[in-house]
Amino acid sequence: MRYETERAVLLARYIVETGATVRSAAVAFGIGKSTVHSDVTKKLRRYDAALWARCREVLERNREERHLRGGDATRRKYAELRELKKLRGGRQQS
C-alpha cells in the first residue's frame, strides 16, 4: 500500500473514531488541512468506499455544526476578557 493511501486510511479512521474536524486531524497528524481534505474525500474514495462513506458522515455533521463551535469560541473569548477586566479592577484608563 502506498504511503498516501495509508495516510488517507489512518486519517479517516481517526476522524471516524474521534469525530475530529479536518482542522484538528491536520494538527494531530502534522499536515495541512487541504491535504487531509484531499486524502479523505478523493483518495480514500478510490481505495475504501465504506470507510470513505463513514468519514463523509462525520465531516458533514462537523460542517453542519461549525457555526455552533464558532459561537462557543466567541462566547469563551469574551468571558475570558470579562474575567481579565475583573482581575484588573475594572476599566483601564488610556
Side-chain angles (χ1 to χ4, degrees):
M1 189 178 334
R2 290 178 45 190
Y3 170 72
E4 290 178 352
T5 306
E6 289 179 34
R7 184 180 65 202
V9 170
L10 288 172
L11 284 164
R13 286 182 183 158
Y14 178 77
I15 289 170
V16 168
E17 290 171 6
T18 65
T21 62
V22 169
R23 182 180 302 248
S24 63
V27 169
F29 283 78
I31 57 178
K33 294 182 303 183
S34 297
T35 304
V36 172
H37 192 267
S38 173
D39 281 358
V40 299
T41 58
K42 296 175 187 170
K43 295 174 187 167
L44 184 66
R45 187 176 190 180
R46 285 182 250 140
Y47 183 73
D48 188 339
L51 181 57
W52 170 81
R54 291 194 334 244
C55 184
R56 187 168 168 252
E57 289 173 10
V58 174
L59 294 179
E60 183 65 27
R61 184 179 67 241
N62 286 340
R63 189 178 68 80
E64 291 170 357
E65 295 173 351
R66 70 181 170 199
H67 67 285
L68 299 172
R69 284 190 303 275
D72 287 341
T74 302
R75 191 171 13 269
R76 283 192 310 271
K77 173 185 173 181
Y78 285 104
E80 289 173 13
L81 289 175
R82 279 192 302 274
E83 286 300 314
L84 281 174
K85 194 174 179 181
K86 285 179 188 178
L87 291 173
R88 292 180 179 160
R91 295 187 102 170
Q92 286 189 339
Q93 295 181 3
S94 304

Coordinates of all heavy atoms in Angstrom, one line a residue:
M1 N 0.9 -1.2 0.0 CA 0.0 0.0 0.0 C 0.9 1.2 0.0 O 1.9 1.3 0.7 CB -0.9 0.0 1.2 CG -1.9 1.0 1.2 SD -3.1 1.1 2.6 CE -3.3 -0.5 3.3
R2 N 0.6 2.2 -0.8 CA 1.3 3.4 -0.9 C 1.2 4.3 0.3 O 0.1 4.2 1.0 CB 0.9 4.2 -2.1 CG 1.3 3.6 -3.4 CD 0.8 4.3 -4.6 NE 1.0 5.8 -4.5 CZ 0.5 6.7 -5.3 NH1 -0.3 6.3 -6.3 NH2 0.8 8.0 -5.1
Y3 N 2.2 5.1 0.6 CA 2.1 6.0 1.8 C 0.9 6.9 1.8 O 0.2 7.0 2.8 CB 3.4 6.8 1.9 CG 3.3 7.9 2.9 CD1 3.4 7.6 4.3 CD2 3.1 9.2 2.6 CE1 3.3 8.6 5.2 CE2 3.0 10.2 3.5 CZ 3.1 9.9 4.9 OH 3.0 10.8 5.8
E4 N 0.6 7.5 0.7 CA -0.6 8.4 0.6 C -1.9 7.6 0.9 O -2.8 8.2 1.6 CB -0.7 9.0 -0.8 CG 0.4 10.0 -1.0 CD 0.3 10.6 -2.4 OE1 -0.5 10.2 -3.2 OE2 1.1 11.6 -2.7
T5 N -2.0 6.4 0.4 CA -3.2 5.6 0.7 C -3.3 5.2 2.2 O -4.3 5.3 2.8 CB -3.2 4.3 -0.2 OG1 -3.0 4.7 -1.5 CG2 -4.5 3.5 0.0
E6 N -2.1 4.8 2.7 CA -2.1 4.5 4.2 C -2.5 5.7 5.0 O -3.2 5.6 6.0 CB -0.7 4.0 4.6 CG -0.3 2.7 4.1 CD 1.1 2.3 4.5 OE1 1.6 2.7 5.6 OE2 1.8 1.6 3.7
R7 N -1.9 6.9 4.6 CA -2.2 8.1 5.4 C -3.7 8.4 5.3 O -4.3 8.8 6.3 CB -1.4 9.3 4.8 CG -1.6 10.6 5.5 CD -0.8 11.7 5.0 NE -1.2 12.0 3.6 CZ -0.5 12.6 2.7 NH1 0.7 12.9 2.9 NH2 -1.0 12.8 1.5
A8 N -4.3 8.2 4.1 CA -5.8 8.5 3.9 C -6.6 7.6 4.8 O -7.5 8.1 5.5 CB -6.2 8.3 2.5
V9 N -6.2 6.3 4.9 CA -6.9 5.4 5.8 C -6.7 5.8 7.2 O -7.7 5.8 8.0 CB -6.4 3.9 5.5 CG1 -7.0 3.0 6.6 CG2 -6.8 3.5 4.1
L10 N -5.5 6.1 7.7 CA -5.3 6.5 9.0 C -6.1 7.8 9.4 O -6.7 7.8 10.5 CB -3.8 6.7 9.3 CG -2.9 5.5 9.3 CD1 -1.4 5.9 9.4 CD2 -3.2 4.7 10.5
L11 N -6.1 8.7 8.5 CA -6.8 10.0 8.8 C -8.3 9.7 8.9 O -9.0 10.2 9.8 CB -6.6 11.0 7.6 CG -5.3 11.7 7.6 CD1 -5.0 12.3 6.3 CD2 -5.2 12.7 8.7
A12 N -8.8 8.9 8.0 CA -10.3 8.6 8.0 C -10.6 7.8 9.3 O -11.7 8.2 9.9 CB -10.7 7.8 6.8
R13 N -9.8 6.9 9.7 CA -10.1 6.1 10.9 C -10.1 7.1 12.1 O -11.0 7.0 13.0 CB -9.1 5.0 11.1 CG -9.3 3.8 10.2 CD -8.3 2.7 10.5 NE -8.5 1.6 9.5 CZ -7.6 0.8 9.3 NH1 -6.4 0.9 9.8 NH2 -7.8 -0.2 8.4
Y14 N -9.1 8.0 12.2 CA -9.0 9.0 13.2 C -10.3 9.8 13.3 O -10.9 10.1 14.3 CB -7.8 9.8 13.0 CG -7.6 10.9 14.1 CD1 -7.1 10.6 15.4 CD2 -7.9 12.2 13.8 CE1 -7.0 11.6 16.3 CE2 -7.7 13.2 14.7 CZ -7.3 12.9 16.0 OH -7.1 13.8 17.0
I15 N -10.7 10.3 12.1 CA -11.9 11.2 12.1 C -13.1 10.5 12.5 O -13.9 11.0 13.3 CB -12.0 11.8 10.6 CG1 -10.9 12.8 10.4 CG2 -13.4 12.4 10.4 CD1 -10.8 13.3 9.0
V16 N -13.3 9.2 12.0 CA -14.5 8.5 12.4 C -14.5 8.1 13.9 O -15.5 8.2 14.5 CB -14.6 7.2 11.5 CG1 -15.6 6.2 12.0 CG2 -14.8 7.5 10.1
E17 N -13.4 7.7 14.4 CA -13.3 7.3 15.8 C -13.4 8.4 16.8 O -14.0 8.3 17.9 CB -12.0 6.5 16.1 CG -11.9 5.2 15.4 CD -10.6 4.5 15.5 OE1 -9.7 5.0 16.2 OE2 -10.4 3.4 14.8
T18 N -12.9 9.6 16.4 CA -12.9 10.7 17.4 C -13.9 11.8 17.0 O -14.1 12.7 17.9 CB -11.5 11.4 17.4 OG1 -11.2 11.9 16.1 CG2 -10.4 10.4 17.8
G19 N -14.5 11.8 15.8 CA -15.4 12.8 15.4 C -14.6 14.1 15.1 O -15.2 15.2 15.1
A20 N -13.3 14.0 14.8 CA -12.5 15.1 14.6 C -12.9 16.0 13.4 O -13.4 15.4 12.4 CB -11.0 14.7 14.4
T21 N -12.5 17.2 13.4 CA -12.7 18.1 12.3 C -11.5 17.9 11.4 O -10.5 17.4 11.8 CB -12.8 19.6 12.7 OG1 -11.6 20.0 13.3 CG2 -14.0 19.8 13.6
V22 N -11.6 18.4 10.2 CA -10.4 18.4 9.2 C -9.3 19.2 9.9 O -8.1 18.7 9.9 CB -10.8 19.0 7.9 CG1 -9.6 19.3 7.0 CG2 -11.8 18.1 7.1
R23 N -9.6 20.3 10.5 CA -8.5 21.1 11.1 C -7.8 20.4 12.3 O -6.6 20.3 12.4 CB -9.1 22.4 11.6 CG -8.1 23.4 12.3 CD -8.8 24.6 12.8 NE -9.5 25.3 11.7 CZ -9.1 26.5 11.2 NH1 -8.0 27.1 11.7 NH2 -9.7 27.0 10.2
S24 N -8.6 19.7 13.1 CA -8.0 19.0 14.3 C -7.2 17.8 13.8 O -6.2 17.5 14.4 CB -9.0 18.7 15.3 OG -10.0 17.8 14.8
A25 N -7.7 17.1 12.8 CA -7.0 16.0 12.2 C -5.6 16.4 11.6 O -4.6 15.8 11.8 CB -7.8 15.3 11.2
A26 N -5.7 17.6 11.0 CA -4.4 18.1 10.4 C -3.4 18.4 11.5 O -2.2 18.1 11.3 CB -4.8 19.4 9.6
V27 N -3.9 19.0 12.6 CA -2.9 19.3 13.7 C -2.4 18.0 14.3 O -1.2 17.9 14.5 CB -3.7 20.2 14.7 CG1 -2.8 20.3 16.0 CG2 -4.0 21.6 14.2
A28 N -3.3 17.0 14.5 CA -2.9 15.8 15.1 C -1.8 15.0 14.2 O -0.9 14.4 14.8 CB -4.1 14.9 15.3
F29 N -1.9 15.1 12.9 CA -1.0 14.4 12.0 C 0.1 15.3 11.5 O 1.0 14.8 10.8 CB -1.8 13.8 10.9 CG -2.6 12.6 11.2 CD1 -3.8 12.6 11.9 CD2 -2.1 11.3 10.9 CE1 -4.5 11.5 12.2 CE2 -2.7 10.2 11.2 CZ -3.9 10.3 11.9
G30 N 0.1 16.6 11.8 CA 1.1 17.5 11.4 C 1.2 17.7 9.9 O 2.2 17.9 9.4
I31 N 0.0 17.8 9.3 CA -0.1 18.1 7.9 C -1.1 19.2 7.7 O -1.8 19.6 8.6 CB -0.4 16.8 7.1 CG1 -1.8 16.2 7.6 CG2 0.7 15.8 7.1 CD1 -2.2 15.0 6.8
G32 N -1.2 19.6 6.4 CA -2.2 20.7 6.1 C -3.6 20.3 6.0 O -3.9 19.1 5.7
K33 N -4.5 21.2 6.2 CA -6.0 21.0 6.1 C -6.3 20.5 4.7 O -7.1 19.6 4.5 CB -6.8 22.2 6.5 CG -6.7 22.7 7.9 CD -7.6 23.9 8.1 CE -7.2 25.0 7.2 NZ -7.9 26.2 7.4
S34 N -5.7 21.1 3.7 CA -6.0 20.7 2.3 C -5.6 19.3 2.1 O -6.3 18.6 1.3 CB -5.3 21.7 1.4 OG -5.8 23.0 1.5
T35 N -4.5 18.9 2.6 CA -4.0 17.5 2.5 C -5.0 16.5 3.1 O -5.4 15.5 2.5 CB -2.6 17.3 3.1 OG1 -1.7 18.3 2.5 CG2 -2.1 15.9 2.9
V36 N -5.4 16.8 4.3 CA -6.4 16.0 5.0 C -7.7 15.9 4.2 O -8.2 14.8 3.9 CB -6.8 16.5 6.4 CG1 -7.9 15.7 7.0 CG2 -5.5 16.5 7.3
H37 N -8.2 17.0 3.7 CA -9.4 17.0 3.0 C -9.3 16.2 1.7 O -10.2 15.4 1.3 CB -9.9 18.5 2.7 CG -11.2 18.6 2.2 ND1 -11.5 18.6 0.8 CD2 -12.4 18.6 2.8 CE1 -12.8 18.6 0.6 NE2 -13.4 18.7 1.8
S38 N -8.2 16.4 1.0 CA -7.9 15.7 -0.3 C -7.8 14.2 0.0 O -8.4 13.4 -0.8 CB -6.7 16.2 -0.9 OG -6.3 15.5 -2.0
D39 N -7.1 13.8 1.0 CA -6.9 12.4 1.3 C -8.3 11.7 1.6 O -8.6 10.6 1.1 CB -6.0 12.2 2.5 CG -4.5 12.3 2.1 OD1 -4.2 12.6 0.9 OD2 -3.7 12.3 3.0
V40 N -9.1 12.3 2.4 CA -10.3 11.6 2.9 C -11.5 11.8 2.0 O -12.5 11.1 2.1 CB -10.7 12.0 4.4 CG1 -9.6 11.6 5.3 CG2 -11.1 13.5 4.5
T41 N -11.4 12.8 1.0 CA -12.6 12.9 0.1 C -12.3 12.3 -1.3 O -13.2 11.8 -1.9 CB -13.0 14.4 0.0 OG1 -11.9 15.1 -0.5 CG2 -13.5 14.9 1.3
K42 N -11.0 12.4 -1.7 CA -10.7 11.9 -3.1 C -10.0 10.6 -3.1 O -10.4 9.6 -3.6 CB -9.9 13.0 -3.8 CG -10.6 14.3 -4.0 CD -9.7 15.3 -4.6 CE -10.5 16.6 -4.7 NZ -9.6 17.7 -5.0
K43 N -8.8 10.5 -2.4 CA -8.0 9.3 -2.5 C -8.7 8.1 -1.8 O -8.6 7.0 -2.3 CB -6.6 9.6 -1.8 CG -5.8 10.6 -2.6 CD -4.6 11.0 -1.9 CE -3.9 12.1 -2.7 NZ -2.9 12.8 -1.9
L44 N -9.3 8.4 -0.6 CA -9.9 7.3 0.2 C -11.1 6.7 -0.6 O -11.3 5.5 -0.5 CB -10.3 7.9 1.5 CG -10.9 6.8 2.5 CD1 -9.8 5.8 2.9 CD2 -11.5 7.5 3.7
R45 N -11.8 7.5 -1.3 CA -13.0 7.0 -2.0 C -12.6 5.9 -3.0 O -13.3 4.9 -3.2 CB -13.7 8.1 -2.8 CG -15.0 7.7 -3.4 CD -15.7 8.9 -4.0 NE -17.0 8.6 -4.4 CZ -17.9 9.4 -4.9 NH1 -17.5 10.6 -5.1 NH2 -19.1 9.0 -5.2
R46 N -11.4 6.1 -3.7 CA -11.0 5.1 -4.6 C -10.5 3.8 -3.9 O -10.5 2.7 -4.5 CB -9.8 5.6 -5.5 CG -10.3 6.6 -6.5 CD -9.2 7.1 -7.3 NE -9.0 8.5 -6.9 CZ -7.8 9.1 -6.8 NH1 -6.7 8.5 -7.0 NH2 -7.8 10.4 -6.4
Y47 N -10.0 3.9 -2.7 CA -9.4 2.8 -2.0 C -10.4 2.0 -1.1 O -10.4 0.8 -1.1 CB -8.2 3.2 -1.2 CG -7.5 2.1 -0.6 CD1 -6.7 1.2 -1.3 CD2 -7.6 1.8 0.8 CE1 -6.1 0.1 -0.7 CE2 -7.0 0.8 1.4 CZ -6.2 -0.1 0.6 OH -5.6 -1.1 1.2
D48 N -11.2 2.7 -0.3 CA -12.1 2.1 0.7 C -13.4 2.9 0.8 O -13.5 3.8 1.5 CB -11.4 2.1 2.0 CG -12.1 1.2 3.1 OD1 -13.3 1.0 2.9 OD2 -11.5 0.9 4.1
A49 N -14.3 2.5 -0.1 CA -15.6 3.2 -0.2 C -16.4 3.2 1.1 O -17.1 4.2 1.5 CB -16.4 2.7 -1.3
A50 N -16.4 2.1 1.9 CA -17.1 2.0 3.1 C -16.6 3.0 4.2 O -17.3 3.7 4.8 CB -17.1 0.6 3.6
L51 N -15.3 3.0 4.3 CA -14.6 3.9 5.3 C -14.8 5.4 4.8 O -15.1 6.3 5.6 CB -13.1 3.6 5.4 CG -12.4 4.5 6.4 CD1 -12.9 4.4 7.8 CD2 -10.9 4.1 6.4
W52 N -14.8 5.6 3.5 CA -15.0 7.0 3.0 C -16.4 7.4 3.3 O -16.6 8.6 3.7 CB -14.8 6.9 1.4 CG -15.3 8.2 0.8 CD1 -14.5 9.3 0.7 CD2 -16.5 8.4 0.1 NE1 -15.3 10.3 0.0 CE2 -16.5 9.7 -0.4 CE3 -17.6 7.6 -0.1 CZ2 -17.6 10.3 -1.1 CZ3 -18.7 8.2 -0.8 CH2 -18.7 9.5 -1.3
A53 N -17.4 6.6 3.2 CA -18.8 6.9 3.5 C -18.9 7.3 5.0 O -19.6 8.3 5.3 CB -19.7 5.8 3.1
R54 N -18.3 6.5 5.9 CA -18.4 6.8 7.3 C -17.7 8.1 7.6 O -18.2 8.9 8.4 CB -17.8 5.7 8.1 CG -18.7 4.4 8.0 CD -18.3 3.3 9.1 NE -17.0 3.4 9.6 CZ -16.1 2.4 9.4 NH1 -16.4 1.3 8.7 NH2 -14.9 2.5 9.9
C55 N -16.6 8.3 7.0 CA -15.8 9.6 7.2 C -16.6 10.8 6.7 O -16.7 11.8 7.4 CB -14.5 9.5 6.6 SG -13.4 10.9 6.9
R56 N -17.2 10.6 5.6 CA -18.0 11.7 5.0 C -19.2 12.1 5.9 O -19.5 13.3 6.0 CB -18.6 11.2 3.6 CG -19.3 12.3 2.8 CD -19.5 11.8 1.4 NE -20.4 12.7 0.8 CZ -21.7 12.4 0.5 NH1 -22.1 11.2 0.7 NH2 -22.4 13.3 -0.1
E57 N -19.8 11.1 6.6 CA -20.9 11.4 7.5 C -20.4 12.3 8.6 O -21.0 13.3 9.0 CB -21.5 10.1 8.1 CG -22.3 9.3 7.1 CD -22.7 8.0 7.7 OE1 -22.5 7.8 8.9 OE2 -23.2 7.2 6.9
V58 N -19.2 12.0 9.2 CA -18.6 12.8 10.3 C -18.3 14.2 9.8 O -18.6 15.2 10.4 CB -17.4 12.1 10.9 CG1 -16.7 13.0 11.9 CG2 -17.7 10.8 11.5
L59 N -17.7 14.3 8.6 CA -17.3 15.6 8.1 C -18.6 16.4 7.8 O -18.6 17.7 8.0 CB -16.5 15.4 6.8 CG -15.1 14.8 7.0 CD1 -14.4 14.7 5.7 CD2 -14.3 15.6 8.0
E60 N -19.6 15.8 7.3 CA -20.9 16.5 7.0 C -21.5 17.0 8.3 O -21.9 18.2 8.4 CB -21.9 15.6 6.3 CG -23.1 16.3 5.9 CD -23.0 17.4 4.9 OE1 -22.0 17.4 4.1 OE2 -23.8 18.4 4.9
R61 N -21.5 16.2 9.4 CA -22.0 16.6 10.7 C -21.2 17.8 11.2 O -21.7 18.8 11.7 CB -22.0 15.4 11.7 CG -22.6 15.8 13.0 CD -22.6 14.6 14.0 NE -21.3 14.3 14.4 CZ -20.7 13.1 14.2 NH1 -21.4 12.1 13.6 NH2 -19.5 12.8 14.5
N62 N -19.9 17.7 11.1 CA -19.0 18.8 11.5 C -19.3 20.1 10.8 O -19.3 21.2 11.4 CB -17.5 18.4 11.4 CG -17.0 17.4 12.4 OD1 -17.7 17.2 13.4 ND2 -16.0 16.7 12.1
R63 N -19.5 20.0 9.5 CA -19.8 21.1 8.7 C -21.2 21.8 9.1 O -21.3 23.0 9.2 CB -19.9 20.8 7.2 CG -20.0 22.0 6.3 CD -20.0 21.6 4.8 NE -21.2 20.9 4.5 CZ -22.4 21.5 4.2 NH1 -22.5 22.8 4.3 NH2 -23.4 20.8 3.8
E64 N -22.1 20.9 9.5 CA -23.4 21.5 9.9 C -23.3 22.1 11.3 O -24.1 23.0 11.6 CB -24.4 20.3 9.9 CG -24.8 19.8 8.6 CD -25.7 18.6 8.6 OE1 -25.9 18.0 9.7 OE2 -26.1 18.1 7.5
E65 N -22.4 21.7 12.1 CA -22.2 22.2 13.5 C -21.2 23.3 13.6 O -21.0 23.9 14.7 CB -21.8 21.0 14.4 CG -22.9 20.0 14.6 CD -22.4 18.8 15.3 OE1 -21.2 18.7 15.6 OE2 -23.2 17.9 15.6
R66 N -20.5 23.7 12.5 CA -19.4 24.6 12.7 C -19.8 26.0 13.2 O -19.1 26.6 13.9 CB -18.6 24.7 11.4 CG -19.4 25.4 10.3 CD -18.5 25.4 9.0 NE -19.3 25.9 7.9 CZ -19.0 25.7 6.7 NH1 -17.9 25.1 6.4 NH2 -19.8 26.1 5.7
H67 N -21.0 26.4 12.8 CA -21.5 27.7 13.4 C -21.7 27.7 14.9 O -21.5 28.7 15.6 CB -22.8 28.2 12.6 CG -24.0 27.3 12.9 ND1 -24.2 26.1 12.4 CD2 -25.0 27.6 13.7 CE1 -25.3 25.6 12.9 NE2 -25.8 26.5 13.7
L68 N -22.0 26.5 15.4 CA -22.2 26.4 16.9 C -20.8 26.4 17.6 O -20.7 27.1 18.6 CB -22.9 25.1 17.2 CG -24.3 24.9 16.6 CD1 -24.8 23.5 16.9 CD2 -25.2 25.9 17.2
R69 N -19.8 25.8 17.0 CA -18.5 25.8 17.6 C -17.9 27.3 17.5 O -17.3 27.7 18.4 CB -17.5 24.9 16.8 CG -17.7 23.4 17.2 CD -16.6 22.5 16.6 NE -16.5 22.6 15.2 CZ -17.2 21.9 14.3 NH1 -18.2 21.1 14.8 NH2 -17.1 22.1 13.0
G70 N -18.2 28.0 16.4 CA -17.7 29.3 16.3 C -18.4 30.2 17.4 O -17.7 31.1 18.0
G71 N -19.7 30.0 17.6 CA -20.4 30.8 18.6 C -19.8 30.5 20.0 O -19.7 31.4 20.9
D72 N -19.5 29.2 20.3 CA -18.9 28.9 21.6 C -17.6 29.5 21.8 O -17.2 30.0 22.9 CB -18.8 27.3 21.7 CG -20.1 26.6 21.9 OD1 -21.1 27.3 22.4 OD2 -20.2 25.4 21.7
A73 N -16.8 29.5 20.7 CA -15.4 30.1 20.8 C -15.6 31.6 21.1 O -14.8 32.2 21.9 CB -14.7 29.9 19.5
T74 N -16.5 32.3 20.5 CA -16.7 33.7 20.7 C -17.1 34.0 22.1 O -16.7 34.9 22.8 CB -17.7 34.3 19.7 OG1 -17.2 34.1 18.4 CG2 -17.9 35.8 19.9
R75 N -18.1 33.1 22.6 CA -18.6 33.3 24.0 C -17.4 33.1 25.0 O -17.3 33.8 25.9 CB -19.7 32.2 24.2 CG -20.5 32.4 25.5 CD -21.7 31.5 25.6 NE -21.9 30.4 24.7 CZ -22.5 30.4 23.5 NH1 -23.0 31.6 23.1 NH2 -22.6 29.4 22.7
R76 N -16.6 32.1 24.8 CA -15.4 31.9 25.7 C -14.5 33.0 25.6 O -14.0 33.4 26.7 CB -14.7 30.6 25.3 CG -15.4 29.3 25.8 CD -14.5 28.1 25.6 NE -13.9 28.0 24.3 CZ -14.4 27.3 23.3 NH1 -15.6 26.8 23.4 NH2 -13.8 27.3 22.1
K77 N -14.2 33.6 24.5 CA -13.3 34.7 24.3 C -13.8 35.9 25.2 O -13.0 36.5 25.9 CB -13.2 35.1 22.8 CG -12.4 36.4 22.6 CD -12.5 36.8 21.2 CE -11.8 38.1 20.9 NZ -11.9 38.6 19.5
Y78 N -15.0 36.2 25.0 CA -15.5 37.4 25.8 C -15.7 37.1 27.3 O -15.5 38.0 28.1 CB -16.8 37.9 25.1 CG -16.5 38.7 23.8 CD1 -16.7 38.1 22.6 CD2 -15.8 39.9 23.9 CE1 -16.3 38.7 21.4 CE2 -15.5 40.6 22.7 CZ -15.7 40.0 21.5 OH -15.4 40.6 20.3
A79 N -15.9 35.9 27.6 CA -15.9 35.5 29.1 C -14.6 35.7 29.7 O -14.4 36.2 30.8 CB -16.4 34.1 29.2
E80 N -13.5 35.3 28.9 CA -12.1 35.4 29.4 C -11.8 36.9 29.5 O -11.1 37.3 30.5 CB -11.2 34.7 28.5 CG -11.2 33.2 28.6 CD -10.4 32.5 27.5 OE1 -9.6 33.2 26.9 OE2 -10.6 31.3 27.4
L81 N -12.2 37.7 28.6 CA -11.9 39.1 28.6 C -12.6 39.8 29.8 O -12.0 40.7 30.5 CB -12.4 39.8 27.3 CG -11.5 39.5 26.1 CD1 -12.2 40.2 24.8 CD2 -10.1 40.0 26.3
R82 N -13.8 39.4 30.1 CA -14.5 39.9 31.3 C -13.8 39.5 32.6 O -13.6 40.4 33.5 CB -16.0 39.4 31.4 CG -16.9 40.1 30.5 CD -18.4 39.8 30.8 NE -18.7 38.3 30.6 CZ -19.0 37.7 29.5 NH1 -19.1 38.4 28.4 NH2 -19.2 36.5 29.5
E83 N -13.3 38.3 32.6 CA -12.5 37.9 33.8 C -11.3 38.7 34.0 O -10.9 39.1 35.1 CB -12.2 36.4 33.7 CG -13.4 35.5 34.0 CD -14.0 35.7 35.4 OE1 -13.2 35.8 36.4 OE2 -15.2 35.8 35.5
L84 N -10.5 38.9 32.9 CA -9.3 39.8 32.9 C -9.6 41.2 33.4 O -8.9 41.7 34.2 CB -8.7 39.8 31.6 CG -7.8 38.6 31.2 CD1 -7.4 38.8 29.7 CD2 -6.6 38.5 32.1
K85 N -10.7 41.7 32.9 CA -11.2 43.0 33.3 C -11.4 43.1 34.8 O -11.0 44.0 35.5 CB -12.4 43.4 32.5 CG -12.7 44.9 32.6 CD -13.9 45.1 31.6 CE -14.3 46.6 31.6 NZ -15.4 46.8 30.7
K86 N -12.1 42.1 35.4 CA -12.4 42.0 36.8 C -11.1 41.9 37.6 O -10.9 42.6 38.6 CB -13.2 40.8 37.1 CG -14.7 40.9 36.8 CD -15.4 39.6 37.1 CE -16.8 39.6 36.6 NZ -17.5 38.4 36.9
L87 N -10.2 41.1 37.1 CA -8.9 41.0 37.9 C -8.1 42.3 37.9 O -7.3 42.5 38.8 CB -8.0 39.9 37.2 CG -8.6 38.4 37.4 CD1 -7.7 37.5 36.6 CD2 -8.6 38.1 38.9
R88 N -8.2 43.1 36.8 CA -7.5 44.3 36.8 C -8.2 45.5 37.5 O -7.7 46.6 37.5 CB -7.3 44.7 35.3 CG -6.4 43.8 34.6 CD -6.3 44.3 33.1 NE -5.3 43.4 32.4 CZ -5.3 43.3 31.1 NH1 -6.1 44.1 30.4 NH2 -4.4 42.5 30.5
G89 N -9.4 45.2 38.0 CA -10.1 46.2 38.8 C -11.0 47.1 38.0 O -11.1 48.3 38.3
G90 N -11.5 46.6 36.9 CA -12.4 47.4 36.1 C -11.7 47.9 34.9 O -10.8 47.4 34.4
R91 N -12.2 49.1 34.4 CA -11.6 49.7 33.2 C -10.3 50.3 33.4 O -10.0 50.9 34.4 CB -12.6 50.7 32.7 CG -13.9 50.2 32.2 CD -14.6 51.3 31.6 NE -14.5 51.1 30.1 CZ -15.2 51.7 29.3 NH1 -16.0 52.7 29.6 NH2 -15.1 51.5 28.0
Q92 N -9.4 50.0 32.4 CA -8.1 50.7 32.5 C -8.2 52.0 31.8 O -8.9 52.1 30.8 CB -7.1 49.8 31.8 CG -6.7 48.7 32.6 CD -5.4 48.0 32.0 OE1 -5.2 48.1 30.8 NE2 -4.7 47.2 32.8
Q93 N -7.5 53.0 32.3 CA -7.5 54.3 31.6 C -6.4 54.4 30.6 O -5.3 53.8 30.8 CB -7.4 55.4 32.6 CG -8.6 55.5 33.6 CD -8.4 56.6 34.6 OE1 -7.5 57.3 34.5 NE2 -9.4 56.7 35.5
S94 N -6.6 55.1 29.5 CA -5.6 55.2 28.5 C -4.6 56.2 28.8 O -4.7 57.1 29.5 CB -6.3 55.7 27.2 OG -7.3 54.8 26.8

